[in-house]
Amino acid sequence: MEVHLDLDQNRYSGIPLRQEPVDFCAMSSVFRDYSTHAFEASEDVLLFPRFQWVSLRARAYRWRSIKSIAKDAEKCTKKMAKMPATPHEDIAILIAIYNRLKTFRIFPLSCIPDSLACLFFLVNEGCKANFVIGVRENPFMAHAWLEINGAVANDVVANVFHYTPILETANEDYLRQVSG
């Protein structure tokens, strides 16, 4: 589906396109390999206050428009542009820590606030990530996730494959649309 995002009207529309079948095994994410990263209590305890802060910050986005979410994601993108590249192993360990700490969250977050919380968490730790919102039809649904160097970071590739991205912080055209 070719999708067009209208940030001013807080809506999107799409034109169906035919997709080719994909081999999910070939697309497996490097970050899933670290989901079994050994529990390091001291490491997790040190990052827990930052985790709670970004979770509370992201929770406030439940009532905000796509445009305001996009503007804040753009600010993160500008901040990330100044950061040096972080090794995949370090990012994967941080994502594993984030996923472990989610079990201690006192309130649930849907995919957009959770992906924003993970983005804020990674940015606070000096990592770059691409925040993505995608949509699909039949049944119509929207979903958000993070990508790092093209690999899905905080979700499973099979969960996000059927969604067409309508908002990406790493896309220059998107940044012009938000700024304009």
Side-chain angles (χ1 to χ4, degrees), residues 43-53 101 104-105:
E43 199 174 70
D44 291 1
V45 168
L46 291 174
L47 293 173
F48 188 72
R50 286 182 231 164
F51 167 81
Q52 285 295 80
W53 170 247
L101 291 175
F104 300 108
R105 192 181 278 152

Side-chain angles (χ1 to χ4, degrees), residues 5 7 66-67 69-71 73 130-134 164-171 174 178:
L5 177 63
L7 289 173
I66 294 174
K67 187 170 189 168
I69 290 170
K71 284 190 179 274
N130 178 24
F131 175 74
V132 182
I133 295 178
T164 301
I166 59 169
L167 185 142
E168 293 183 72
T169 57
N171 185 328
Y174 152 75
V178 172

Side-chain angles (χ1 to χ4, degrees), residues 71-178:
K71 284 190 179 274
D72 286 352
E74 178 192 18
K75 290 177 190 173
C76 280
T77 301
K78 288 180 179 177
K79 185 176 178 181
M80 288 184 291
K82 300 172 187 171
M83 295 179 187
T86 306
H88 276 311
E89 185 173 313
D90 293 347
I91 295 169
I93 290 169
L94 286 169
I95 290 170
I97 291 169
Y98 177 84
N99 287 331
R100 281 196 306 272
L101 291 175
K102 282 196 315 190
T103 61
F104 300 108
R105 192 181 278 152
I106 57 173
F107 48 83
L109 290 178
S110 60
C111 61
I112 289 176
D114 183 58
S115 293
L116 285 170
C118 191
L119 176 69
F120 299 151
F121 182 77
L122 291 173
V123 169
N124 285 342
E125 297 304 314
C127 301
K128 297 179 182 183
N130 178 24
F131 175 74
V132 182
I133 295 178
V135 295
R136 75 175 203 185
E137 61 178 350
N138 297 334
F140 183 80
M141 296 175 75
H143 188 55
W145 65 93
L146 294 182
E147 292 181 358
I148 299 173
N149 296 327
V152 176
N154 68 329
D155 207 335
V156 179
V157 173
N159 289 349
V160 303
F161 172 72
H162 295 289
Y163 291 90
T164 301
I166 59 169
L167 185 142
E168 293 183 72
T169 57
N171 185 328
E172 289 296 324
D173 293 333
Y174 152 75
L175 291 177
R176 279 192 292 278
Q177 183 182 5
V178 172

